[in-house]
Amino acid sequence: MNIPEVFWLIPAASVTALGMAWFFFRQMMKEDEGTPRMREIAEHVRRGAMAYLKQQYKVVGIVFVVLALIFAFMAYALNVQNPWVPFAFITGGLFSGLAGFFGMKTATYASARTANAARKGLNNGLRIAFRSGAVMGLVVVGLGLLDIAIWFLVLSYFYNGDSMALITITTTMLTFGMGASTQALFARVGGGIYTKAADVGADLVGKVEANIPEDDPRNPATIADNVGDNVGDVAGMGADLYESYCGSILSTAALGATAFAFNMDMQLKAVIAPMIIASVGIFLSLIGIFLVRTNEGATMKDLLKSLGLGTNVSAILIAAASFVILYLLELDNWIGVSFSVVTGLMAGVIIGQGTEYYTSQSYKPTRQISESSQTGPATVIIKGIGTGMISTMIPVVTISVAIMLSYLCANHFDLSMSAESISRGLYGIGIAAVGMLSTLGITLATDAYGPIADNAGGNAEMSELGENVRHRTDALDALGNTTAATGKGFAIGSAALTALALLASYVEEIKIAMVRAVDNGQIFFNSVGEVFDPATANMVDYMEFFQVNLMNPKVLVGAFIGGMAAFLFCGLTMGAVGRAAQTMVEEVRRQFREIAGILDGKATPDYGRCVEISTRSAQREMIFPSLLAIIIPIIVGVLLGVAGVMGLLVGGLTAGFTLAVFMANAGGAWDNAKKMVEEGHFGGKGSECHKATIVGDTVGDPFKDTSGPSLNILIKLMSMVSIVMAGLTVAFL
């Protein structure tokens, strides 16, 4: 296999991203961290965050060792697995964990520096917070492309000359996506439980019962709350979008290998095309990052506009670049495939704008939630749930249109449903997901910016920096709430397109497993008793062989189980937050009751005890829901076969996507409705309306930061597990 020279753009882009991440990190570290009190608070948060992450990696490490041994047994003893899978699985988890670690390390150093910069002006604070968030974005895309480039070169060397080389290489590479997904789910669930246990405890007892401000140093849970922002929204989000990014590129590469299987030259171009688009996206994201700035006294709309300028310029540039890239690659139907990329980019922008509309206090839905606080917390909750449900319409319709458009653009608008038409159309859907994620370097920067700004506000409050500084950090924090909600919507939307592409990749992995089984002497017969040859069969043949249609009860049962899995997973994670928060509430009440002088500011709360409660609860509670996502696809595959798994993945995708959007947007709207009251509307801080919105925000916390964002990993992890376990499923046919 002759690897074209353009391939070397991929590792070059990776090194550039990592180099710029290091540059932004060093630039941030040169800034002043502020007063001794600011440094002390930042150090408390840093130690707590690193202690939690160290403990989490110990637990996840044990899980990875066990799963890697199982995969090794399947590969070397049972011969139902590719021998590279155990190693690919481990590297996927390792790189995903590294992405979260580097992003969180940066965030914990950036928060006090952002607060200190806000003493000078709003733009200074925004610049430090945003470029520190950019470290996360650039580390994720840099490590992702580095992992992909290394594995592609290694596998190309070992499979050189094989007739199915590119199909085998791309489907094998998909399995490191399972490692990334597994690590991401533990990071998301564990971090989400940690942060929301502390947040709920701090809000309910501190703000509602004791009537003290958010992030007040008298609140025992305030350090744990600030630690939680980093372990959940930074480390968790980084690991999450790392696996989305890699999953979209790898699934598209696998679909390209299939769609152009009978043209070796075109097949290689189709495989590397998504990698090249992602590489160019890194350089264009850097342009967008340098465009983000604002003026003193900027309103929320001004701040959103400044971030929007960076992300929209990057999106427009990558849309134009896609046409050039695919033209120079001389990819078949390059114009149609380029429009598929544009479709994905436009879908990402529309979902982001829709999320902003439903979650920003600049718009009617969130303002109406604030107004409903005048009649108590019940109406706040009712209005928030209704807003969240209504908000699902824009993302669902957008993704549906994007799926159809990207499918039709890539296959010459052919609706014949022939094998070639389907394969090329699915490639279009996959590359639309790549388009949506191609500017992840800047998109993730806007998301990671949120918890940095939140921590900066906490540091300003605890350090008593003054009303004008707190006003600036509150503006940055409110912007962060909206960008975090937009980032979650973006992550969920990309997960839907990626999961659909993975569904097709699952069929390809089944094909490889069946070919391996035939080589070992197994014979397959179709429904009329004829011998089925998996090596020559196409996508339509496989659908007929496994009877994947709505009249097959296995498909319907699988779909029901998939839908149930999304709700079961949410119920378990919400329950975990509830139990952890209850323990936290009791601890905060105990400290207020037993440690004399806390509320007078004469005694120091036991912050360490609250950090310990959150850490212990997160480690204990994250294991069962996370393992469930791995176990369900295996059981369904063994009991219901390929048809059941296809139903499971479709049911999980549709229910999980809609539920995730609802939870993320409802939670974001509740949070910003509270922020709006805190700005002085409807009685301001300490009023009955304020307390009502705090209750709504408390309900929304696990919605938007634990269960909701974990769902996009769930739907992809179930797909990844199904792909990795395809050999086991075939063994039970």
Side-chain angles (χ1 to χ4, degrees), residues 265-338:
D265 182 50
M266 198 60 64
Q267 185 187 38
L268 181 58
K269 292 175 181 178
V271 166
I272 66 170
M275 304 178 195
I276 300 298
I277 291 171
S279 302
V280 173
I282 287 178
F283 296 107
L284 301 182
S285 292
L286 285 168
I287 294 174
I289 288 168
F290 283 106
L291 289 175
V292 175
R293 54 175 58 89
T294 192
N295 298 316
E296 189 61 36
T299 64
M300 178 58 64
K301 283 192 174 180
D302 293 332
L303 289 170
L304 285 168
K305 187 177 178 181
S306 66
L307 289 186
L309 175 67
T311 53
N312 292 336
V313 166
S314 295
I316 291 168
L317 290 175
I318 192 64
S322 296
F323 286 88
V324 177
I325 292 165
L326 296 176
Y327 169 75
L328 294 176
L329 278 176
E330 299 180 339
L331 188 69
D332 190 25
N333 187 27
W334 64 271
I335 295 179
V337 176
S338 298

Side-chain angles (χ1 to χ4, degrees), residues 241-258:
L241 281 169
Y242 174 86
E243 57 99 20
S244 283
Y245 186 70
C246 292
S248 66
I249 295 170
L250 295 174
S251 58
T252 306
L255 291 170
T258 303

Side-chain angles (χ1 to χ4, degrees), residues 197 200-202 204-205 209 220 578-594 609-610 613:
V200 171
L204 286 184
V205 186
E209 296 179 10
R579 286 187 294 274
Q582 189 174 357
T583 306
M584 185 67 74
V585 166
E586 291 169 355
E587 173 59 23
V588 176
R589 284 175 178 165
R590 182 195 68 78
Q591 291 198 33
F592 280 151
R593 187 174 59 248
E594 297 179 7
R609 176 64 182 151
C610 293
I613 287 172

